[in-house]
Amino acid sequence: MSTLSKELTAIRVTGILLVGVAVATAAILFLWAGSPFTIAKLRRHGSFLPLYITGPIVMLYMVTGVGLIARTRWGYALLKCFLYVLFLAFPVGTVLSYLALSYMRRHGTRRHFGFEISDGPTGDLDEAHWFRIVGLVLTCAMALMFVWMMLTF
């Protein structure tokens, strides 16, 4: 098996995995009778807040998986967005997203999604800078939220 076909297989497997996780999550949370968030229980209590919170997350998994399977540009963008959000899930999500992002950068997986790869400098060099800024802002926001919660209780 060539390196190209291995990379394409890994991309498709990741997409199938994300779609599978989305379907399983939706089924377990909203259809399984033992779950506190089944549609019937939410309707009985009149609160659909769990659906509003987990629904977009499940949809992000599903759409990202479909984009990876089809190898579209928006699939690549959603995957990177997904990995940056997963970076906040310390410690396992941080490690997994770091490994995935470094693999994507090292092996130039952008080319499989219709992007042109040039030998000259690209916008990816600035990506690490922006990632540090976003990480700092999110860390400060989380620290402020923690302090606020401690002061109010």
Coordinates of all heavy atoms in Angstrom, one line a residue, residues 40-134:
A40 N -38.5 12.1 25.3 CA -39.8 12.0 26.1 C -39.6 12.7 27.5 O -40.5 13.4 27.9 CB -40.2 10.6 26.3
K41 N -38.4 12.5 28.1 CA -38.2 13.1 29.4 C -38.0 14.6 29.3 O -38.5 15.4 30.1 CB -37.0 12.5 30.1 CG -37.2 11.1 30.6 CD -35.9 10.5 31.2 CE -36.2 9.0 31.5 NZ -34.9 8.4 32.1
L42 N -37.3 15.0 28.2 CA -37.2 16.5 28.0 C -38.5 17.1 27.7 O -38.8 18.2 28.2 CB -36.2 16.7 26.8 CG -34.8 16.3 27.0 CD1 -34.0 16.5 25.7 CD2 -34.1 17.1 28.1
R43 N -39.4 16.5 27.0 CA -40.7 17.0 26.7 C -41.5 17.1 27.9 O -42.3 18.0 28.2 CB -41.4 16.2 25.6 CG -42.7 16.8 25.1 CD -43.4 16.0 24.0 NE -42.5 15.9 22.9 CZ -42.4 14.9 22.0 NH1 -43.2 13.9 22.2 NH2 -41.6 14.9 21.0
R44 N -41.4 16.0 28.8 CA -42.2 16.0 30.0 C -41.8 17.1 30.9 O -42.7 17.8 31.6 CB -42.0 14.7 30.7 CG -42.9 14.4 31.9 CD -42.8 13.0 32.5 NE -42.4 12.0 31.6 CZ -41.3 11.2 31.8 NH1 -40.6 11.3 32.9 NH2 -41.0 10.3 30.9
H45 N -40.5 17.4 31.0 CA -40.0 18.5 31.9 C -40.1 19.9 31.2 O -39.9 20.9 31.9 CB -38.6 18.2 32.4 CG -38.5 17.0 33.2 ND1 -39.1 16.9 34.5 CD2 -37.9 15.8 33.0 CE1 -38.9 15.7 35.0 NE2 -38.1 15.0 34.1
G46 N -40.3 19.9 29.9 CA -40.4 21.2 29.2 C -39.0 21.9 29.1 O -39.0 23.1 28.7
S47 N -37.9 21.2 29.3 CA -36.6 21.9 29.1 C -35.8 21.1 28.1 O -35.5 20.0 28.2 CB -35.9 21.8 30.5 OG -34.5 22.3 30.3
F48 N -35.6 21.9 27.0 CA -34.8 21.3 25.9 C -33.4 21.8 25.9 O -32.7 21.7 24.8 CB -35.5 21.6 24.5 CG -36.8 20.8 24.4 CD1 -38.0 21.4 24.7 CD2 -36.8 19.5 23.9 CE1 -39.2 20.7 24.5 CE2 -37.9 18.8 23.8 CZ -39.1 19.4 24.1
L49 N -32.9 22.4 27.0 CA -31.5 22.9 27.0 C -30.5 21.9 26.7 O -29.5 22.2 25.9 CB -31.3 23.5 28.4 CG -29.9 24.2 28.6 CD1 -29.8 25.4 27.6 CD2 -29.7 24.7 30.0
P50 N -30.5 20.6 27.2 CA -29.5 19.7 26.8 C -29.5 19.4 25.3 O -28.4 19.2 24.7 CB -29.9 18.4 27.5 CG -30.7 18.9 28.7 CD -31.4 20.1 28.2
L51 N -30.6 19.4 24.7 CA -30.7 19.3 23.2 C -30.1 20.4 22.5 O -29.3 20.2 21.5 CB -32.2 19.1 22.8 CG -32.4 18.9 21.3 CD1 -31.8 17.6 20.8 CD2 -33.9 18.9 21.0
Y52 N -30.3 21.6 23.0 CA -29.7 22.8 22.4 C -28.2 22.9 22.6 O -27.4 23.5 21.8 CB -30.3 24.1 23.0 CG -31.8 24.3 22.7 CD1 -32.6 24.8 23.6 CD2 -32.3 23.8 21.5 CE1 -34.0 24.9 23.4 CE2 -33.7 24.0 21.2 CZ -34.5 24.5 22.2 OH -35.8 24.6 22.0
I53 N -27.7 22.3 23.6 CA -26.2 22.3 23.9 C -25.5 21.1 23.1 O -24.5 21.4 22.4 CB -25.9 22.1 25.4 CG1 -26.4 23.4 26.1 CG2 -24.4 21.9 25.6 CD1 -26.3 23.3 27.6
T54 N -26.1 19.9 23.2 CA -25.4 18.8 22.5 C -25.7 18.7 21.0 O -25.0 18.1 20.3 CB -25.7 17.5 23.2 OG1 -27.1 17.3 23.2 CG2 -25.2 17.5 24.6
G55 N -26.9 19.2 20.6 CA -27.3 19.1 19.2 C -26.2 19.7 18.2 O -25.8 19.0 17.3
P56 N -25.8 21.0 18.5 CA -24.7 21.5 17.6 C -23.4 20.7 17.6 O -22.8 20.6 16.6 CB -24.6 22.9 18.1 CG -25.8 23.3 18.8 CD -26.3 22.0 19.4
I57 N -23.1 20.2 18.8 CA -21.8 19.4 18.8 C -21.9 18.1 18.0 O -21.0 17.8 17.3 CB -21.5 19.1 20.3 CG1 -21.2 20.4 21.1 CG2 -20.3 18.2 20.4 CD1 -21.1 20.3 22.6
V58 N -23.1 17.5 18.1 CA -23.3 16.2 17.4 C -23.3 16.6 15.9 O -22.8 15.9 15.0 CB -24.6 15.5 17.8 CG1 -25.0 14.5 16.8 CG2 -24.4 15.0 19.2
M59 N -23.9 17.7 15.5 CA -24.0 18.1 14.1 C -22.6 18.4 13.6 O -22.2 18.1 12.4 CB -24.9 19.3 13.9 CG -26.4 18.9 14.0 SD -26.9 17.6 13.0 CE -26.7 18.3 11.4
L60 N -21.7 19.1 14.4 CA -20.4 19.3 14.0 C -19.6 18.1 13.7 O -18.9 18.0 12.7 CB -19.6 20.2 15.1 CG -18.1 20.4 14.9 CD1 -18.0 21.3 13.7 CD2 -17.5 21.0 16.1
Y61 N -19.8 17.1 14.6 CA -19.1 15.7 14.4 C -19.6 15.2 13.0 O -18.8 14.7 12.2 CB -19.5 14.8 15.5 CG -18.7 14.8 16.7 CD1 -18.5 15.9 17.4 CD2 -18.1 13.6 17.2 CE1 -17.8 16.0 18.6 CE2 -17.4 13.6 18.3 CZ -17.2 14.8 19.0 OH -16.4 14.8 20.2
M62 N -20.9 15.2 12.8 CA -21.5 14.6 11.6 C -21.1 15.3 10.3 O -20.6 14.7 9.4 CB -23.1 14.7 11.7 CG -23.8 14.1 10.5 SD -23.8 12.3 10.6 CE -24.9 12.0 11.9
V63 N -21.1 16.6 10.3 CA -20.8 17.4 9.1 C -19.3 17.3 8.8 O -18.9 17.2 7.7 CB -21.3 18.8 9.2 CG1 -20.8 19.7 8.1 CG2 -22.8 18.9 9.3
T64 N -18.5 17.3 9.9 CA -17.0 17.2 9.7 C -16.7 15.8 9.1 O -15.9 15.7 8.2 CB -16.3 17.4 11.1 OG1 -16.6 18.7 11.6 CG2 -14.8 17.3 10.9
G65 N -17.3 14.8 9.6 CA -17.1 13.4 9.1 C -17.5 13.3 7.7 O -16.7 12.7 6.9
V66 N -18.6 13.9 7.3 CA -19.0 13.8 5.9 C -18.1 14.6 5.0 O -17.7 14.2 3.9 CB -20.5 14.4 5.7 CG1 -20.9 14.6 4.3 CG2 -21.5 13.4 6.4
G67 N -17.6 15.7 5.5 CA -16.6 16.5 4.8 C -15.3 15.8 4.6 O -14.6 15.9 3.5
L68 N -14.9 15.0 5.6 CA -13.7 14.2 5.5 C -13.8 13.1 4.5 O -12.9 12.8 3.7 CB -13.2 13.7 6.8 CG -12.7 14.7 7.8 CD1 -12.3 14.1 9.1 CD2 -11.5 15.4 7.2
I69 N -15.0 12.4 4.5 CA -15.2 11.3 3.6 C -15.2 11.8 2.2 O -14.6 11.2 1.3 CB -16.5 10.6 4.0 CG1 -16.4 9.9 5.3 CG2 -16.9 9.6 2.9 CD1 -17.7 9.4 5.9
A70 N -15.8 13.0 2.0 CA -15.9 13.5 0.6 C -14.6 14.3 0.2 O -14.5 14.7 -0.9 CB -17.1 14.5 0.5
R71 N -13.7 14.6 1.2 CA -12.5 15.3 1.0 C -12.7 16.7 0.4 O -12.2 17.1 -0.6 CB -11.5 14.5 0.2 CG -11.0 13.3 0.9 CD -9.9 12.6 0.1 NE -10.3 12.4 -1.3 CZ -9.5 12.3 -2.3 NH1 -8.2 12.2 -2.1 NH2 -9.9 12.2 -3.5
T72 N -13.6 17.5 1.1 CA -13.9 18.8 0.6 C -13.0 19.8 1.4 O -12.5 19.5 2.5 CB -15.4 19.1 0.8 OG1 -15.7 19.0 2.2 CG2 -16.2 18.2 0.0
R73 N -13.0 21.1 0.9 CA -12.2 22.1 1.6 C -12.9 22.4 2.9 O -12.2 22.7 3.9 CB -12.1 23.4 0.7 CG -11.1 23.2 -0.4 CD -11.1 24.5 -1.2 NE -10.1 24.3 -2.3 CZ -9.2 25.2 -2.6 NH1 -9.1 26.3 -1.9 NH2 -8.3 25.0 -3.5
W74 N -14.2 22.5 2.9 CA -14.9 22.8 4.2 C -14.7 21.7 5.2 O -14.8 21.9 6.4 CB -16.4 23.2 3.9 CG -17.2 22.2 3.2 CD1 -17.4 22.2 1.8 CD2 -17.8 21.0 3.7 NE1 -18.2 21.1 1.5 CE2 -18.5 20.4 2.6 CE3 -18.0 20.5 5.0 CZ2 -19.2 19.2 2.8 CZ3 -18.7 19.4 5.2 CH2 -19.3 18.7 4.1
G75 N -14.6 20.5 4.7 CA -14.3 19.4 5.6 C -13.0 19.5 6.3 O -12.8 19.3 7.5
Y76 N -12.0 20.0 5.5 CA -10.7 20.2 6.1 C -10.7 21.4 7.1 O -10.2 21.3 8.2 CB -9.7 20.6 5.0 CG -8.3 20.9 5.5 CD1 -7.4 19.9 5.8 CD2 -7.8 22.2 5.6 CE1 -6.1 20.2 6.3 CE2 -6.6 22.5 6.0 CZ -5.7 21.5 6.4 OH -4.5 21.8 6.9
A77 N -11.5 22.4 6.8 CA -11.6 23.6 7.7 C -12.3 23.2 9.0 O -11.9 23.6 10.1 CB -12.3 24.7 7.0
L78 N -13.4 22.4 8.8 CA -14.1 21.9 10.0 C -13.3 21.0 10.9 O -13.3 21.0 12.1 CB -15.4 21.3 9.6 CG -16.5 22.2 9.2 CD1 -17.7 21.4 8.7 CD2 -16.9 23.1 10.3
L79 N -12.4 20.2 10.2 CA -11.6 19.3 11.0 C -10.6 20.1 11.8 O -10.3 19.8 13.0 CB -10.8 18.3 10.0 CG -9.8 17.4 10.7 CD1 -10.5 16.4 11.7 CD2 -8.9 16.7 9.7
K80 N -10.0 21.1 11.2 CA -9.0 21.9 12.0 C -9.7 22.7 13.1 O -9.2 22.7 14.2 CB -8.3 22.9 11.0 CG -7.3 22.2 10.1 CD -6.4 23.1 9.5 CE -5.4 23.5 10.5 NZ -4.2 24.0 9.9
C81 N -10.9 23.2 12.8 CA -11.7 23.8 13.9 C -12.0 22.8 15.0 O -11.9 23.1 16.2 CB -13.0 24.4 13.3 SG -14.2 25.0 14.5
F82 N -12.4 21.6 14.6 CA -12.8 20.5 15.6 C -11.5 20.2 16.4 O -11.6 20.1 17.6 CB -13.2 19.3 14.8 CG -13.5 18.1 15.6 CD1 -14.6 18.0 16.4 CD2 -12.5 17.1 15.6 CE1 -14.8 16.9 17.2 CE2 -12.7 15.9 16.4 CZ -13.9 15.8 17.2
L83 N -10.4 20.1 15.8 CA -9.1 19.8 16.5 C -8.7 20.9 17.5 O -8.2 20.7 18.6 CB -8.0 19.5 15.6 CG -8.2 18.1 14.8 CD1 -7.1 18.0 13.8 CD2 -8.1 17.0 15.8
Y84 N -8.9 22.2 17.1 CA -8.6 23.3 17.9 C -9.5 23.3 19.1 O -9.1 23.7 20.3 CB -8.6 24.6 17.2 CG -7.5 24.8 16.3 CD1 -7.6 25.3 15.0 CD2 -6.2 24.5 16.7 CE1 -6.5 25.4 14.2 CE2 -5.1 24.7 15.9 CZ -5.3 25.2 14.6 OH -4.2 25.3 13.8
V85 N -10.8 23.0 19.0 CA -11.7 22.9 20.1 C -11.4 21.8 21.0 O -11.4 21.9 22.2 CB -13.2 22.9 19.6 CG1 -14.2 22.5 20.7 CG2 -13.6 24.1 18.9
L86 N -11.0 20.6 20.4 CA -10.6 19.5 21.1 C -9.4 19.7 21.9 O -9.2 19.1 23.0 CB -10.4 18.3 20.2 CG -10.1 16.9 20.8 CD1 -11.3 16.4 21.6 CD2 -9.8 15.9 19.7
F87 N -8.6 20.7 21.5 CA -7.3 21.0 22.2 C -7.6 21.4 23.7 O -6.8 21.3 24.5 CB -6.6 22.1 21.5 CG -5.1 22.2 21.7 CD1 -4.3 21.3 20.9 CD2 -4.6 23.0 22.6 CE1 -3.0 21.3 21.1 CE2 -3.2 23.0 22.8 CZ -2.4 22.2 22.1
L88 N -8.8 22.0 23.9 CA -9.2 22.4 25.2 C -9.6 21.3 26.2 O -9.7 21.5 27.4 CB -10.4 23.4 25.1 CG -10.1 24.7 24.3 CD1 -11.3 25.5 24.2 CD2 -9.0 25.5 25.0
A89 N -9.8 20.1 25.7 CA -10.3 19.0 26.5 C -9.0 18.3 27.1 O -8.6 17.2 26.7 CB -11.0 18.0 25.6
F90 N -8.5 19.0 28.1 CA -7.2 18.5 28.7 C -7.5 17.3 29.6 O -8.5 17.2 30.2 CB -6.7 19.7 29.6 CG -5.4 19.4 30.3 CD1 -4.2 19.5 29.6 CD2 -5.3 19.0 31.6 CE1 -3.0 19.2 30.1 CE2 -4.1 18.7 32.2 CZ -3.0 18.8 31.4
P91 N -6.6 16.3 29.6 CA -5.4 16.1 29.0 C -5.5 15.3 27.7 O -4.6 15.4 26.8 CB -4.5 15.4 30.0 CG -5.5 14.5 30.7 CD -6.8 15.4 30.7
V92 N -6.5 14.4 27.6 CA -6.5 13.5 26.4 C -6.8 14.2 25.1 O -6.1 14.0 24.1 CB -7.6 12.4 26.7 CG1 -7.7 11.5 25.5 CG2 -7.3 11.6 27.9
G93 N -7.7 15.1 25.1 CA -8.0 15.9 23.9 C -6.9 16.7 23.5 O -6.6 16.9 22.3
T94 N -6.1 17.3 24.4 CA -5.0 18.1 24.1 C -3.9 17.3 23.4 O -3.4 17.7 22.3 CB -4.4 18.7 25.4 OG1 -5.4 19.5 26.0 CG2 -3.2 19.6 25.0
V95 N -3.6 16.1 23.9 CA -2.6 15.2 23.3 C -3.1 14.8 21.9 O -2.3 14.8 20.9 CB -2.3 14.0 24.2 CG1 -1.4 13.0 23.5 CG2 -1.7 14.5 25.5
L96 N -4.3 14.3 21.8 CA -4.8 13.8 20.5 C -4.8 14.9 19.4 O -4.4 14.7 18.3 CB -6.2 13.2 20.7 CG -6.3 11.9 21.4 CD1 -7.8 11.5 21.6 CD2 -5.5 10.8 20.7
S97 N -5.3 16.1 19.8 CA -5.4 17.2 18.8 C -4.0 17.6 18.4 O -3.7 18.0 17.3 CB -6.2 18.3 19.3 OG -5.7 18.9 20.4
Y98 N -3.1 17.7 19.4 CA -1.7 18.1 19.1 C -1.1 17.1 18.1 O -0.4 17.5 17.1 CB -0.8 18.2 20.3 CG 0.6 18.5 20.0 CD1 1.0 19.8 19.6 CD2 1.6 17.5 20.1 CE1 2.3 20.0 19.3 CE2 2.9 17.7 19.8 CZ 3.3 19.0 19.4 OH 4.6 19.3 19.1
L99 N -1.2 15.8 18.4 CA -0.7 14.8 17.5 C -1.3 14.9 16.1 O -0.6 14.8 15.1 CB -0.9 13.4 18.1 CG -0.1 13.1 19.3 CD1 -0.5 11.7 19.9 CD2 1.4 13.1 19.0
A100 N -2.6 15.1 16.0 CA -3.3 15.1 14.7 C -2.9 16.4 13.9 O -2.6 16.3 12.7 CB -4.8 15.1 14.9
L101 N -2.8 17.5 14.6 CA -2.4 18.8 13.9 C -1.0 18.7 13.5 O -0.7 19.2 12.4 CB -2.6 20.0 14.8 CG -4.1 20.4 15.1 CD1 -4.2 21.4 16.2 CD2 -4.7 20.9 13.8
S102 N -0.1 18.1 14.3 CA 1.3 18.1 13.9 C 1.5 17.1 12.7 O 2.2 17.3 11.8 CB 2.2 17.7 15.0 OG 1.9 16.4 15.5
Y103 N 0.7 16.0 12.7 CA 0.7 15.0 11.6 C 0.2 15.7 10.3 O 0.8 15.5 9.3 CB -0.1 13.8 11.9 CG -0.2 12.8 10.8 CD1 0.8 11.8 10.6 CD2 -1.2 12.9 9.9 CE1 0.7 10.9 9.6 CE2 -1.3 12.0 8.8 CZ -0.3 11.0 8.7 OH -0.4 10.1 7.6
M104 N -0.8 16.4 10.4 CA -1.4 17.1 9.3 C -0.4 18.1 8.7 O -0.3 18.2 7.5 CB -2.7 17.8 9.6 CG -3.8 16.9 9.9 SD -5.3 17.6 10.6 CE -5.7 18.8 9.3
R105 N 0.3 18.8 9.5 CA 1.3 19.8 9.1 C 2.5 19.1 8.5 O 3.0 19.5 7.4 CB 1.7 20.7 10.2 CG 2.7 21.8 9.7 CD 3.0 22.8 10.8 NE 1.7 23.5 11.1 CZ 1.4 24.0 12.3 NH1 2.2 23.8 13.3 NH2 0.3 24.7 12.4
R106 N 3.0 18.1 9.1 CA 4.2 17.4 8.7 C 4.0 16.7 7.3 O 4.9 16.7 6.5 CB 4.6 16.4 9.7 CG 6.0 16.2 10.0 CD 6.4 15.2 11.1 NE 5.4 14.2 11.4 CZ 4.8 14.1 12.5 NH1 4.9 15.1 13.5 NH2 3.9 13.2 12.8
H107 N 2.8 16.1 7.1 CA 2.6 15.3 5.9 C 1.8 16.1 4.9 O 1.6 15.5 3.8 CB 1.8 14.0 6.3 CG 2.7 13.1 7.1 ND1 3.7 12.3 6.5 CD2 2.7 12.8 8.4 CE1 4.2 11.6 7.5 NE2 3.6 11.9 8.6
G108 N 1.5 17.3 5.1 CA 0.8 18.2 4.1 C -0.5 17.6 3.6 O -0.7 17.5 2.4
T109 N -1.3 17.2 4.6 CA -2.6 16.6 4.2 C -3.6 17.6 3.5 O -4.6 17.2 2.9 CB -3.4 16.0 5.4 OG1 -3.5 17.1 6.4 CG2 -2.6 14.9 6.0
R110 N -3.2 18.9 3.5 CA -4.0 19.9 2.8 C -4.2 19.5 1.3 O -5.2 19.8 0.7 CB -3.4 21.2 2.9 CG -3.4 21.9 4.2 CD -2.7 23.2 4.2 NE -3.5 24.0 3.2 CZ -3.5 25.3 3.3 NH1 -2.9 25.9 4.2 NH2 -4.2 26.0 2.4
R111 N -3.2 18.9 0.7 CA -3.2 18.6 -0.7 C -4.3 17.6 -1.1 O -4.8 17.6 -2.2 CB -1.9 18.1 -1.2 CG -1.5 16.7 -0.7 CD -0.1 16.3 -1.3 NE 0.2 15.0 -0.9 CZ 0.7 14.6 0.3 NH1 1.1 15.6 1.2 NH2 1.0 13.4 0.6
H112 N -4.8 16.8 -0.1 CA -5.8 15.9 -0.4 C -7.2 16.5 -0.4 O -8.2 15.9 -0.8 CB -5.8 14.8 0.6 CG -4.6 14.0 0.7 ND1 -4.0 13.4 -0.4 CD2 -3.7 13.8 1.7 CE1 -2.9 12.8 -0.1 NE2 -2.7 13.0 1.2
F113 N -7.3 17.8 0.0 CA -8.5 18.5 0.1 C -8.6 19.6 -1.0 O -9.5 20.5 -0.9 CB -8.7 19.1 1.5 CG -8.9 18.0 2.5 CD1 -7.8 17.6 3.2 CD2 -10.1 17.5 2.8 CE1 -7.9 16.6 4.2 CE2 -10.3 16.5 3.7 CZ -9.2 16.1 4.4
G114 N -7.8 19.6 -2.0 CA -7.8 20.5 -3.1 C -7.0 21.8 -2.9 O -7.1 22.7 -3.7
F115 N -6.2 21.9 -1.8 CA -5.4 23.0 -1.6 C -4.0 22.8 -2.3 O -3.5 21.7 -2.4 CB -5.1 23.3 -0.1 CG -6.3 23.7 0.7 CD1 -6.9 22.8 1.5 CD2 -6.7 25.0 0.6 CE1 -8.0 23.1 2.2 CE2 -7.8 25.4 1.3 CZ -8.5 24.4 2.1
E116 N -3.5 23.9 -2.9 CA -2.2 23.7 -3.5 C -1.1 23.9 -2.5 O -1.1 24.8 -1.6 CB -2.0 24.8 -4.6 CG -2.9 24.6 -5.8 CD -2.7 25.6 -6.9 OE1 -1.6 26.2 -6.9 OE2 -3.6 25.8 -7.7
I117 N -0.1 23.1 -2.6 CA 1.1 23.1 -1.7 C 2.2 23.7 -2.4 O 2.6 23.2 -3.5 CB 1.5 21.7 -1.1 CG1 0.3 21.1 -0.5 CG2 2.6 21.8 -0.2 CD1 -0.2 21.7 0.8
S118 N 2.8 24.8 -1.9 CA 3.9 25.5 -2.5 C 5.2 25.3 -1.6 O 5.1 25.0 -0.5 CB 3.7 26.9 -2.8 OG 3.5 27.6 -1.6
D119 N 6.3 25.4 -2.3 CA 7.6 25.3 -1.5 C 7.9 26.6 -0.8 O 8.7 26.6 0.2 CB 8.7 25.0 -2.5 CG 8.6 23.6 -3.1 OD1 7.9 22.8 -2.4 OD2 9.1 23.3 -4.2
G120 N 7.3 27.7 -1.2 CA 7.6 29.0 -0.5 C 6.8 29.1 0.8 O 6.1 28.3 1.2
P121 N 7.0 30.3 1.5 CA 6.3 30.5 2.7 C 4.8 30.6 2.5 O 4.4 31.2 1.5 CB 6.9 31.8 3.2 CG 7.5 32.4 2.1 CD 7.9 31.4 1.1
T122 N 4.0 30.0 3.4 CA 2.6 30.0 3.3 C 2.0 30.7 4.5 O 2.7 31.0 5.5 CB 2.0 28.6 3.1 OG1 2.4 27.9 4.3 CG2 2.6 27.9 1.9
G123 N 0.7 30.7 4.6 CA 0.0 31.2 5.8 C 0.1 30.3 7.0 O -0.2 30.7 8.1
D124 N 0.6 29.1 6.8 CA 0.7 28.1 7.9 C 1.7 28.6 8.9 O 1.7 28.2 10.0 CB 1.0 26.7 7.4 CG -0.2 26.1 6.7 OD1 -1.3 26.5 7.0 OD2 0.0 25.1 6.0
L125 N 2.7 29.4 8.4 CA 3.7 29.8 9.4 C 3.1 30.7 10.4 O 3.5 30.7 11.6 CB 4.8 30.5 8.6 CG 5.6 29.7 7.6 CD1 6.6 30.5 6.8 CD2 6.2 28.5 8.2
D126 N 2.1 31.5 10.1 CA 1.4 32.4 11.0 C 0.4 31.6 11.9 O 0.0 32.2 12.9 CB 0.7 33.5 10.3 CG 1.7 34.4 9.5 OD1 2.9 34.5 10.0 OD2 1.3 35.0 8.5
E127 N 0.1 30.4 11.5 CA -0.9 29.7 12.2 C -0.5 29.4 13.6 O -1.3 29.5 14.6 CB -1.2 28.4 11.5 CG -2.4 27.6 12.0 CD -2.6 26.4 11.1 OE1 -3.1 26.6 10.0 OE2 -2.3 25.3 11.6
A128 N 0.7 29.1 13.9 CA 1.2 28.8 15.2 C 1.1 30.1 16.1 O 0.8 30.0 17.3 CB 2.7 28.3 15.2
H129 N 1.4 31.2 15.5 CA 1.3 32.5 16.2 C -0.2 32.7 16.7 O -0.4 33.1 17.8 CB 1.8 33.6 15.4 CG 1.7 35.0 16.0 ND1 2.4 35.4 17.0 CD2 0.8 36.0 15.6 CE1 2.0 36.6 17.4 NE2 1.1 37.0 16.5
W130 N -1.1 32.5 15.7 CA -2.5 32.8 16.0 C -3.0 31.7 17.0 O -3.8 32.0 17.9 CB -3.4 32.7 14.8 CG -3.2 34.0 14.0 CD1 -2.6 34.2 12.8 CD2 -3.8 35.3 14.4 NE1 -2.7 35.5 12.4 CE2 -3.4 36.2 13.4 CE3 -4.5 35.7 15.4 CZ2 -3.7 37.5 13.4 CZ3 -4.8 37.1 15.5 CH2 -4.5 37.9 14.5
F131 N -2.5 30.5 16.9 CA -2.9 29.5 17.9 C -2.5 29.8 19.3 O -3.2 29.6 20.2 CB -2.4 28.1 17.5 CG -2.9 27.0 18.3 CD1 -4.2 26.6 18.2 CD2 -2.0 26.4 19.2 CE1 -4.7 25.6 19.0 CE2 -2.5 25.3 19.9 CZ -3.8 24.9 19.8
R132 N -1.3 30.4 19.4 CA -0.8 30.8 20.8 C -1.7 32.0 21.3 O -2.0 32.0 22.5 CB 0.6 31.3 20.7 CG 1.6 30.1 20.6 CD 3.0 30.6 20.7 NE 3.9 29.5 20.3 CZ 4.7 29.6 19.2 NH1 4.8 30.7 18.5 NH2 5.5 28.6 18.9
I133 N -2.1 32.9 20.5 CA -2.9 34.0 20.9 C -4.3 33.5 21.3 O -4.8 33.9 22.4 CB -3.0 35.1 19.8 CG1 -1.7 35.8 19.6 CG2 -4.1 36.1 20.1 CD1 -1.7 36.7 18.4
V134 N -4.9 32.7 20.5 CA -6.2 32.1 20.9 C -6.1 31.3 22.1 O -7.0 31.4 23.0 CB -6.8 31.3 19.7 CG1 -8.0 30.5 20.1 CG2 -7.1 32.2 18.5

